[in-house]
Amino acid sequence: MMTQMRNPTLLLLLLLSSQLCSVLSWKKDEFRNCNQTPFCKRARARKPSSSSLIAQDVAIFDGELTAKLFPEKTQENPDEQDQDRIKPLVLSLSVYQDGILRLKIDEDPKLDPPKKRFEVPDVILPEFSNKKLWLQKLSTETIGGDAGPSSIVYLLDGYEAVLRHDPFEVYVREKGGNRVISLNSHGLLDFEQLRVKRDGEEWEERFKGHTDRRPHGPQSISFDVSFYEADHVYGIPERATSFALKPTRGPGIEDSEPYRLFNLDVFEYLHESPFGLYGSIPLMISHGKSRGTSGFFWLNAAEMQIDVLGSGWDAESGISLPSSQSRIDTLWMSEAGIVDAFFFVGPGPKDVVRQYTSVTGTPAMPQLFALAYHQCRWNYRDEEDVEQVDSKFDEHDIPYDVLWLDIEHTDGKRYLTWDRMLFPHPEEMQRKLAAKGRHMVTIVDPHIKRDDSYFLHKEATEKRYYVRDATGKDYDGWCWSGSSSYLDVLRPEVRSWWAEKFSLENYVGSTPSLYIWNDMNEPSVFNGPEVTMPRDALHQEDAEHRELHNAYGYYFHMATADGLVKRGDGRDRPFVLSRAVFAGSQRYGAVWTGDNTAEWDHLRVSVPMILTLGLTGISFSGADVGGFFGNPEPELLVRWYQLGAYYPFFRAHAHHDTKRREPWLFGDRNTERIREAIHIRYMLLPYFYTLFREANTSGVPVVRPLWMEFPSEEATFSNDEAFMIGSSLLVQGIYTEHARHASVYLPGKESWYEVKTGVAYKGGRTHKLDVNEESVPAFQRAGTIIPRKDRFRRSSTQMVNDPYTLVIALNSSQAAEGELYVDDGRSFEFQQGAYIHRRFVFSDGKLTSLNLAPPSPGQAQFSSECVIERIILQGLTTGQKSALIEPENQKAEIEKGPLLLHSRRGPTVITIRKPNVRIVDDWVIKLL
């Protein structure tokens, strides 16, 4: 939703305000750049080796390596005045299972700093502490020409962590050999300590008419991180730019900004820009052909700026690193917080994602309906509009599962209410949808209208649950509802109170089939600095907003999701969509890429944005199909549906100023194309659901970069126009108007089968393919088995008992395998073992179904009567005519059948018809 006011009176008031940020178009000068951000400017100005620290008092304590960091100058000038002396910092290194190293650096609480620096709570999983390896001893080694020894601790078989004492450095290396990741190799660590303000000292900062009091003064942290043997680095979302991060500093790079991590409501953002958007996940992952994959995560919710340093950036420094390995250097800068950093050794791409999500959590398992198609617009006008849209989907034989309502459904922008003129019977409206297996989503944003008659505002005020301004009063900012206040969701008791508001009793007009959308939760404040909350606003225990800004939306998302769980007495999984993102958001629901535009370039950039989110733990993401702003031409809209059908989160959404663009409004032929794209999504729901379960258990994303499956193929490293869905499907988008050809790189040594035609293409090469407007190129990898449901209903809920199709794509060894995961699609009983998990293996002319679910005696059970009605065999080189089903000893016929049941012009393929084996059973089908 854009930051543009539509209430005339409110708009006039805002325009009269001298502090109003222009929201009529995205303007670069409305947001701070590095030179306007003092901590960033200071950090960028420092030269290599400008910070010479020494680690002393190194010891093992409480299972960790501990030390103190002293600057060299305090050793040389022990008589400095206390006011100017830099006090020693405390350091700890701890080791966790699976090759995870944690580094913490903070001020020494024994030296009585003016306040405790903020540490981000509730992001690291509580159970992660149980994975700590209790260090018993450390070894020492003199590295290179160092004057003294360094300390070495075990990290993982084949890996060690090194604390270099003088000069201070921390790095991970292969045992006795090459480096993997290092911190402070260039001596750029700077830790601005809290101190008492001197008389006459100016700490305030000003920007665009706003004043930040900065009562605790400079407290920034910066340091360099190097990734060795890396060809590219990725991650640190959210921004609309290439998947592989481009250098921001170095020879030949002029006027480039660092990658900014500061959650912002950016109106109509630009494509191909490093500018930060709605989310901030400070995780960077490196990948290279020779070394593999590694990762670095800094748990810090303050504003962060990160430079990717181009080769030769330090040419003038005159220093020599103690390694001849190639590397990518980066500079990390943050306004506040502490150093709480995690090193992930990999060595494979999936290993790094698994390691990261073992710290911050794996993605939540969504309800099945949430993976289907969602229809949204700002705004569906009233109940009649809702009913008409719903009936039109049925009339045009287009399935959908969720219809969304934006802010106009509320009573005067008061969330958790209804405009009873437009929506007089909300329960009945929802029940009509539910009768067809459909659901509704309503928007609930964090700004609460300051209206004494509004029950939320009245209670929050009485309980003092709001964020306070710098003077201690409830903060008052402007958003959709006009004068608004914002809940202090950092406080657990406030989150618990908020969660209770989603009960059916409190949210009057809601039903169990209603779910929630959190927008504007960066938080967006129209008259605030950079359209957000002032940095000197106060949260619990006087934590400043600057210290936790990037996590505000995370806590609001958490509280809302908990509310839906409580609503159903802990039985049903929640669905909550959030715009703001932080590390750990994957545990609470889906996200989308915000206010994009109906342009081909925005269609293209949606892929690297989704890939990046997936790489950093956020599997359940998507972009607004068709673009939020503007009016897409029919060809662009069709292409967006064809690509969006493969997004993890598949939703069409549009701004209220755009023309209506429901799928049937662009002529019969385009309606047919959109219908077919949506049908493909419904057909693949069993495969998507299985992949979401994989993400839920391992952290491995649903949509993946090609190099995650083919990590040694350099041709995949910078390819962000194509992507993998799981390990079995490759999709190539079409991003240009009137395209008649597409170049598609198909990795690996095995063949790939085009999904719609069954035509086989060789792997390991680029194919120039003819394309038409009927679909985008999509291919099944040889050696895989994909489960489908080929019968189409009104919604996914009505498909639950339908039979399955298995599509087997044989490799050169005439073998293939795949998986199917099934549960009840809605409850948490799968966590107690109530699910079906099968592995299908084809080899030696027979297909075997194996049980992957562990035995769960006495726990919840789940069963299904669903059967497999078709088995498609692609690439079969023999000519069998029948098959034998064991142990029943029944025969099934092998004949030619359609590859896609609903395709008018589809090819025929070898098919085992109606074997009718149950998905819950063990069985073998032999070709005869």
Side-chain angles (χ1 to χ4, degrees), residues 275-300:
F275 193 85
L277 298 176
Y278 317 96
S280 299
I281 304 177
L283 168 68
M284 186 176 286
I285 292 177
S286 75
H287 183 72
K289 183 177 181 180
S290 57
R291 199 266 137 192
T293 316
S294 62
F296 179 83
F297 168 54
W298 186 5
L299 178 55
N300 189 324

Side-chain angles (χ1 to χ4, degrees), residues 541-601:
E541 298 180 358
D542 289 337
E544 290 186 276
H545 187 72
R546 78 181 76 252
E547 300 174 289
L548 59 99
H549 170 80
N550 287 342
Y552 182 89
Y554 164 77
Y555 292 115
F556 193 76
H557 193 190
M558 175 197 302
T560 304
D562 287 347
L564 293 188
V565 174
K566 288 182 178 180
R567 181 185 74 180
D569 295 326
R571 294 188 300 269
D572 292 338
R573 303 171 220 166
F575 173 78
V576 182
L577 180 75
S578 175
R579 189 169 71 174
V581 183
F582 189 64
S585 289
Q586 64 270 14
R587 307 206 303 264
Y588 300 105
V591 304
W592 92 107
T593 61
D595 297 348
N596 59 0
T597 304
E599 297 175 356
W600 288 95
D601 287 331

Side-chain angles (χ1 to χ4, degrees), residues 196-356:
V196 178
K197 188 176 184 181
R198 302 186 186 96
D199 290 341
E201 190 173 9
E202 178 61 57
W203 278 359
E204 292 183 344
E205 292 180 3
R206 295 171 178 82
F207 178 74
K208 304 293 288 187
H210 296 274
T211 299
D212 175 8
R213 292 172 60 250
R214 299 179 74 231
H216 301 288
Q219 51 182 301
S220 69
I221 303 170
S222 57
F223 49 77
D224 57 276
V225 176
S226 297
F227 300 87
Y228 294 84
E229 307 296 344
D231 293 320
H232 296 283
V233 288
Y234 311 83
I236 58 171
E238 183 182 33
R239 58 194 40 79
T241 188
S242 61
F243 183 48
L245 296 170
K246 298 174 182 177
T248 58
R249 280 178 63 192
I253 302 172
E254 302 292 338
D255 301 322
S256 181
E257 285 290 303
Y259 293 103
R260 189 184 190 195
L261 295 180
F262 190 63
N263 291 10
L264 290 171
D265 178 0
V266 182
F267 170 81
E268 204 166 5
Y269 59 80
L270 303 177
H271 74 277
E272 201 53 44
S273 169
F275 193 85
L277 298 176
Y278 317 96
S280 299
I281 304 177
L283 168 68
M284 186 176 286
I285 292 177
S286 75
H287 183 72
K289 183 177 181 180
S290 57
R291 199 266 137 192
T293 316
S294 62
F296 179 83
F297 168 54
W298 186 5
L299 178 55
N300 189 324
E303 178 180 357
M304 199 176 292
Q305 304 262 4
I306 302 173
D307 269 319
V308 176
L309 304 169
S311 179
W313 71 274
D314 58 346
E316 298 178 1
S317 68
I319 68 167
S320 174
L321 281 182
S323 173
S324 60
Q325 292 176 259
S326 64
R327 67 186 189 276
I328 293 178
D329 298 322
T330 60
L331 176 63
W332 297 60
M333 306 162 274
S334 181
E335 184 181 13
I338 68 167
V339 176
D340 190 359
F342 296 78
F343 300 71
F344 306 118
V345 301
K350 295 179 183 178
D351 297 320
V352 170
V353 176
R354 186 183 69 250
Q355 290 156 2
Y356 168 72

Side-chain angles (χ1 to χ4, degrees), residues 646-881:
Y646 297 103
Y647 292 162
F649 174 57
F650 181 26
R651 180 185 77 156
H653 184 36
H655 183 268
H656 72 96
D657 285 340
T658 64
K659 299 175 183 178
R660 294 291 287 255
R661 59 165 96 138
E662 284 76 27
W664 49 86
L665 296 176
F666 297 87
D668 291 346
R669 192 70 192 98
N670 288 318
T671 298
E672 185 176 343
R673 291 164 178 152
I674 293 172
R675 179 193 301 115
E676 186 169 350
I678 295 174
H679 277 172
I680 286 176
R681 174 51 164 248
Y682 278 79
M683 183 175 68
L684 291 173
L685 281 177
Y687 180 60
F688 270 93
Y689 198 65
T690 300
L691 292 175
F692 269 90
R693 176 56 172 165
E694 181 183 358
N696 174 247
T697 56
S698 70
V700 176
V702 172
V703 165
R704 308 166 186 176
L706 271 58
W707 54 260
M708 183 168 278
E709 293 296 328
F710 302 91
S712 63
E713 292 200 33
E714 292 180 79
T716 67
F717 292 178
S718 58
N719 185 337
D720 57 10
E721 292 194 345
F723 54 90
M724 296 292 299
I725 303 172
S727 60
S728 303
L729 281 179
L730 183 151
V731 177
Q732 168 74 50
I734 301 296
Y735 308 110
T736 56
E737 192 175 11
H738 307 317
R740 293 295 174 260
H741 305 281
S743 293
V744 183
Y745 178 73
L746 298 175
K749 298 178 181 178
E750 295 288 346
S751 295
W752 295 79
Y753 295 88
E754 211 280 327
V755 166
K756 289 194 66 175
T757 66
V759 174
Y761 294 87
K762 291 184 178 180
R765 64 183 64 180
T766 299
H767 298 269
K768 185 176 181 180
L769 305 178
D770 295 333
V771 297
N772 54 42
E773 295 184 7
E774 307 308 310
S775 63
V776 296
F779 304 86
Q780 182 175 347
R781 181 180 180 180
T784 65
I785 299 175
I786 289 179
R788 297 189 330 210
K789 283 199 172 184
D790 290 357
R791 298 182 186 181
F792 300 123
R793 309 291 187 185
R794 289 175 170 180
S795 64
S796 66
T797 311
Q798 296 187 342
M799 297 168 60
V800 167
N801 297 317
D802 285 348
Y804 288 84
T805 294
L806 296 183
V807 183
I808 302 175
L810 297 174
N811 61 18
S812 56
S813 300
Q814 293 287 280
E817 63 180 57
E819 295 183 13
L820 171 65
Y821 173 85
V822 184
D823 60 27
D824 65 19
R826 61 183 182 275
S827 79
F828 287 101
E829 289 191 359
F830 73 96
Q831 296 176 342
Q832 283 74 51
Y835 61 85
I836 298 164
H837 193 184
R838 310 298 301 188
R839 171 173 287 144
F840 304 115
V841 177
F842 187 95
S843 64
D844 300 324
K846 61 183 180 182
L847 175 64
T848 305
S849 176
L850 305 168
N851 182 27
L852 293 181
S856 55
Q859 294 185 331
Q861 301 292 321
F862 176 74
S863 187
S864 171
E865 295 301 316
C866 287
V867 300
I868 295 171
E869 69 171 349
R870 291 202 309 155
I871 299 172
I872 293 172
L873 292 160
Q874 297 186 95
L876 186 67
T877 57
T878 53
Q880 290 92 338
K881 300 296 184 182

Side-chain angles (χ1 to χ4, degrees), residues 10-29:
L10 183 56
L11 180 58
L12 178 60
L13 287 172
L14 284 176
L15 289 173
L16 292 174
S17 169
S18 62
Q19 294 184 321
L20 175 64
C21 291
S22 171
V23 292
L24 299 179
S25 63
W26 188 83
K27 293 183 179 179
K28 189 175 182 180
D29 62 2

